Amino acid sequence: MKLKTTSLLIAGTLFGAAMMPAHANNEAMIDLLKVLRDKGTISADDYNMLKNAAAADKEMAEAEKAEIKEEAVAAAKADMPKITTDGKLKIEDQDGNWSFQPIGRVMWDAVNADADTNDSDDDVKGTELRRARLGFAGSIYDWSYKFEADFAGGDASIKDAYIGYGNKLSDNTKWGVKLGQSHIPFGLNTKISSKYMTFMDRPMFADSSVSPARASGAVVSINDSDYKWALSAGLQNGGFDGDNDTYEINGSTFAVRGSFLPYNEGKNLVQIGAGYLTQGGGDSFKFQPDLVSHDDKFKPVSTGTIALDQADAFTVDAMGVFGSFHAMAEYLDHTAEPEAGSDIDTTGYAVEAGYFLTGESLKWKKGYTSGISPKSKYGAWQVAARFESVEVDPGTSMEDEYDQFTLGVNYYPTKNTRLMLNYSKVTDLTVDGTGADEEPSALKFRAQAYW
């Protein structure tokens, strides 16, 4: 009779365990079994058997619960976009069918420039918000888009605003087209983003009328999938004038640029590039570069303002990265043909070198320099030097020329922030064929962040 009673109790206990919530009442059931054992209703062997069975049920229930949770999380993730926050905020489809990324940069400058003239009004001293850009970029399947505007100075100016399409020609070759306002495919220093320039200012011939940066039109490109070689060409125009019937300064622009890597081993590489540009006539043309800062008031080197019939230019460049050291050089030759008078030939070159004291290496991306990631939580330090020269030859003995050197120290607290200190000085200045006594100089500081 006792055996029958014990069996019934065991069966009842198991039935109760089955009817109870899998995890919540497991401990209560163990307590019940202890009471039955202590009263002698069930034996110690029966108690151990039921206890082990309850423990096994608990483990099984927890495993099933974890599996259900994992499946639920996986299902939820499959329907959610992928979010990247490593130095940027990028939202994209799990399958890569679309993406959206807010972009921007802020650059605050402090400048103390001494024009070295008898007029103190030629000096430049003060601070400014050099760049304050906001925009977005992304893709939808094989289509891409970008819009970015600069609000520095209180007025908005459109930088990039285009729609693009790209696809594969083969497993190792890609092609693409951009329609809208984008970079003119020409000079290396003009094209390198201000976020990644080694110095606060580009060489003074870059991003100017002899090496223009952006225009509205179409740019077609073809390249190796790893950008070991790349070729791009653009047919672009200036905006309409006030009457909306003719193009502004320099009319249409056709440009082509190519680059290739004759050497590429790990983080070490050598790149060679060249570009050609031709511009149609426009209302006027003028090249008058700054000497030591982007807002110089003393600008003695100039082509003067001319009515342009046509302009042609070419540029050749080279870049090398070897561990923590990098070097870059570019040569430009621009010939402006006025509607009347002699051609004006402008030549310029710049050579720079930089070294990371903390062991980082200059990043290269798609044919141009890119950002760096500090190896230490204390940031990265870089020192650099550049020499540049510009000559404007109007076809007479009245040429203008200047030589300038720049020294720089860069500190990168993080991959998206940088502090820069530059010193620039003109060492040789010729105006209208005569050597000038002025040797302008400038001490410049920048704090920047980008995303």
Side-chain angles (χ1 to χ4, degrees):
M1 187 67 180
K2 183 177 180 180
L3 179 59
K4 183 177 180 180
T5 302
T6 301
S7 300
L8 289 173
L9 287 170
I10 294 173
T13 303
L14 292 174
F15 178 76
M19 296 301 293
M20 291 179 184
H23 177 70
N25 293 321
N26 195 277
E27 293 184 359
M29 185 180 67
I30 296 296
D31 292 338
L32 175 60
L33 291 174
K34 287 181 179 179
V35 172
L36 294 176
R37 180 198 60 187
D38 294 342
K39 289 182 175 293
T41 306
I42 60 174
S43 65
D45 291 338
D46 291 338
Y47 167 76
N48 291 331
M49 179 187 69
L50 292 173
K51 179 182 176 182
N52 293 335
D57 288 343
K58 178 181 177 182
E59 292 178 1
M60 184 179 298
E62 290 179 346
E64 290 177 353
K65 183 178 179 181
E67 184 178 354
I68 292 172
K69 182 178 179 181
E70 184 177 345
E71 291 176 353
V73 171
K77 284 185 176 180
D79 295 331
M80 293 177 60
K82 179 182 176 182
I83 300 177
T84 302
T85 58
D86 184 16
K88 60 185 177 182
L89 177 62
K90 186 176 182 181
I91 306 170
E92 57 188 325
D93 177 41
Q94 290 286 346
D95 298 324
N97 295 326
W98 61 266
S99 67
F100 176 83
Q101 179 183 348
I103 57 176
R105 71 193 72 173
V106 176
M107 299 179 181
W108 178 84
D109 291 0
V111 178
N112 187 339
D114 179 7
D116 196 28
T117 65
N118 294 325
D119 188 353
S120 60
D121 290 339
D122 290 335
D123 297 340
V124 176
K125 297 180 181 180
T127 63
E128 69 168 338
L129 191 60
R130 177 71 180 275
R131 295 179 178 91
R133 297 188 187 179
L134 290 173
F136 53 85
S139 63
I140 304 173
Y141 293 96
D142 294 329
W143 294 85
S144 62
Y145 58 89
K146 183 178 181 181
F147 176 85
E148 187 174 29
D150 197 335
F151 299 91
D155 296 324
S157 61
I158 305 302
K159 294 302 179 180
D160 290 308
Y162 63 80
I163 295 175
Y165 178 83
N167 213 323
K168 288 185 176 182
L169 285 177
S170 66
D171 290 340
N172 297 317
T173 307
K174 299 179 180 180
W175 76 277
V177 60
K178 294 178 181 178
L179 302 174
Q181 179 163 299
S182 64
H183 271 286
I184 296 172
F186 186 56
L188 174 65
N189 279 287
T190 298
K191 179 70 185 293
I192 291 175
S193 172
S194 60
K195 297 183 296 186
Y196 309 130
M197 298 187 310
T198 305
F199 301 93
M200 289 174 56
D201 295 305
R202 292 180 171 86
M204 295 308 176
F205 60 80
D207 195 3
S208 68
S209 55
V210 297
S211 182
R214 291 176 173 88
S216 179
V219 177
V220 179
S221 61
I222 181 173
N223 55 268
D224 169 76
S225 58
D226 295 326
Y227 285 83
K228 293 180 180 179
W229 61 265
L231 181 66
S232 56
L235 181 59
Q236 296 159 293
N237 293 281
F240 287 115
D241 68 8
D243 298 326
N244 290 334
D245 55 5
T246 58
Y247 292 116
E248 283 186 23
I249 298 173
N250 298 336
S252 62
T253 299
F254 173 77
V256 59
R257 171 175 166 77
S259 63
F260 73 99
L261 299 177
Y263 173 75
N264 184 16
E265 187 70 33
K267 293 184 178 181
N268 301 330
L269 63 87
V270 173
Q271 176 179 284
I272 306 296
Y276 170 76
L277 175 145
T278 182
Q279 295 173 309
D283 293 338
S284 62
F285 172 86
K286 184 179 183 179
F287 173 60
Q288 189 174 32
D290 297 302
L291 297 184
V292 291
S293 71
H294 89 101
D295 197 26
D296 286 341
K297 293 179 174 60
F298 177 56
K299 301 180 181 182
V301 176
S302 177
T303 61
T305 302
I306 62 173
L308 183 69
D309 180 50
Q310 182 179 332
D312 296 280
F314 71 86
T315 179
V316 292
D317 56 78
M319 182 195 326
V321 179
F322 302 94
S324 298
F325 173 81
H326 89 272
M328 187 185 306
E330 182 176 3
Y331 173 82
L332 168 79
D333 190 302
H334 182 280
T335 300
E337 301 177 13
E339 293 181 355
S342 303
D343 293 349
I344 301 176
D345 191 44
T346 300
T347 58
Y349 69 87
V351 180
E352 75 171 55
Y355 184 78
F356 282 97
L357 302 174
T358 44
E360 289 77 11
S361 181
L362 188 70
K363 285 187 179 179
W364 172 91
K365 184 177 180 181
K366 298 182 179 181
Y368 302 93
T369 59
S370 185
I372 69 109
S373 298
K375 289 185 174 182
S376 167
K377 65 179 180 180
Y378 301 107
W381 288 90
Q382 180 189 31
V383 293
R386 181 178 69 199
F387 180 82
E388 61 182 281
S389 180
V390 169
E391 180 179 355
V392 177
D393 184 359
T396 67
S397 60
M398 306 294 286
E399 71 274 0
D400 294 339
E401 182 180 2
Y402 77 89
D403 297 336
Q404 181 213 113
F405 74 84
T406 300
L407 302 177
V409 178
N410 297 324
Y411 172 59
Y412 301 77
T414 68
K415 65 188 301 183
N416 292 86
T417 57
R418 178 168 57 163
L419 304 178
M420 309 175 71
L421 183 65
N422 288 183
Y423 176 75
S424 297
K425 184 176 180 62
V426 170
T427 57
D428 186 23
L429 179 63
T430 300
V431 181
D432 294 334
T434 303
D437 294 331
E438 293 85 2
E439 292 186 348
S441 61
L443 184 64
K444 300 173 284 187
F445 171 81
R446 170 175 295 168
Q448 77 171 48
Y450 67 88
W451 55 92

